[in-house]
Amino acid sequence: VDNIDVPACTARGIIAVNTPEANLMAAGELAVALAFASFRNICVANEAARRDDFRRGRMIGNELEGKTAGIIGMGRIGSIVARKLKGVGMKVIAYDPYISSDRFEQVGVRRCDKLDDLLREADLITLHTPKTKETYNMIDAPQLALCKPGVRIVNAARGGLVNEKALHAALVSGQVAAAGI
């Protein structure tokens, strides 16, 4: 309800409620779908096909299996994403200073104590945090510079977690191969 004028709704007899559990699976699956799209060049292939351009070399993607997924935020959605990415053969690491070590063990994910460690190791970075003062622009130009060249970024959480100008510059330079937002 952070984007809804609740008092205005109430005044008009419209009930606006927060249902944080309602879309957990949908949000997790969207993040995984964006990861697949970014590795397999699905959007590029779709656009090329619409232009009758069937040059296969431009459509070849990369496999997820054997790559490292770095999850920022290991709450309910991050845990769903971890489980699904492990299912396709990705190594999964995660950063979340607020989640207990037990939770990481339950999900079978290696904990990174520092965000910078995750950024340096991940082939895919996916964000699953709320937007707070602490998480606003948590991925900015200095963080993108720490990443492996060709990293993929997925933000299916909130706008503002990734600085969009810095992300654009990293996409143009090739530091980031693809982004799903």
Side-chain angles (χ1 to χ4, degrees):
V1 294
D2 56 342
N3 296 314
I4 299 172
D5 185 343
V6 176
C9 289
T10 303
R12 291 174 177 80
I14 300 168
I15 299 170
V17 295
N18 185 22
T19 56
E21 305 273 330
N23 71 342
L24 296 176
M25 191 59 68
E29 289 179 357
L30 173 62
V32 172
L34 291 170
F36 268 90
S38 71
F39 274 91
R40 301 305 310 170
N41 293 332
I42 292 170
C43 295
V44 171
N46 180 57
E47 288 300 314
R50 288 176 183 274
R51 293 187 314 270
D52 293 326
D53 179 357
F54 295 98
R55 291 176 287 169
R56 292 181 63 146
R58 297 188 58 200
M59 298 179 199
I60 295 172
N62 293 283
E63 295 176 353
L64 284 82
E65 184 161 350
K67 302 286 191 306
T68 299
I71 298 176
I72 301 172
M74 275 298 293
R76 294 170 295 206
I77 296 170
S79 296
I80 289 168
V81 171
R83 188 180 79 237
K84 292 183 179 299
L85 293 177
K86 285 175 52 182
V88 298
M90 293 191 87
K91 174 184 167 188
V92 180
I93 60 176
Y95 170 78
D96 192 323
Y98 302 105
I99 299 293
S100 72
S101 295
D102 291 343
R103 181 70 177 150
F104 284 82
E105 290 176 24
Q106 287 173 348
V107 180
V109 172
R110 182 171 60 88
R111 179 183 206 134
C112 292
D113 292 323
K114 296 178 183 173
L115 178 59
D116 289 359
D117 295 338
L118 180 143
L119 298 174
R120 286 184 185 100
E121 191 173 338
D123 299 297
L124 164 69
I125 297 167
T126 179
L127 294 96
H128 305 283
T129 67
K131 183 179 172 183
T132 65
K133 288 180 186 177
E134 185 179 19
T135 62
Y136 182 74
N137 281 340
M138 72 185 307
I139 304 296
D140 205 338
Q143 289 76 30
L144 292 169
L146 292 175
C147 296
K148 292 179 178 180
V151 67
R152 272 88 171 163
I153 307 284
V154 169
N155 180 11
R158 296 273 184 217
L161 302 179
V162 179
N163 180 299
E164 292 172 4
K165 288 183 180 179
L167 177 60
H168 179 263
L171 284 162
V172 169
S173 75
Q175 176 68 10
V176 174
I181 54 174

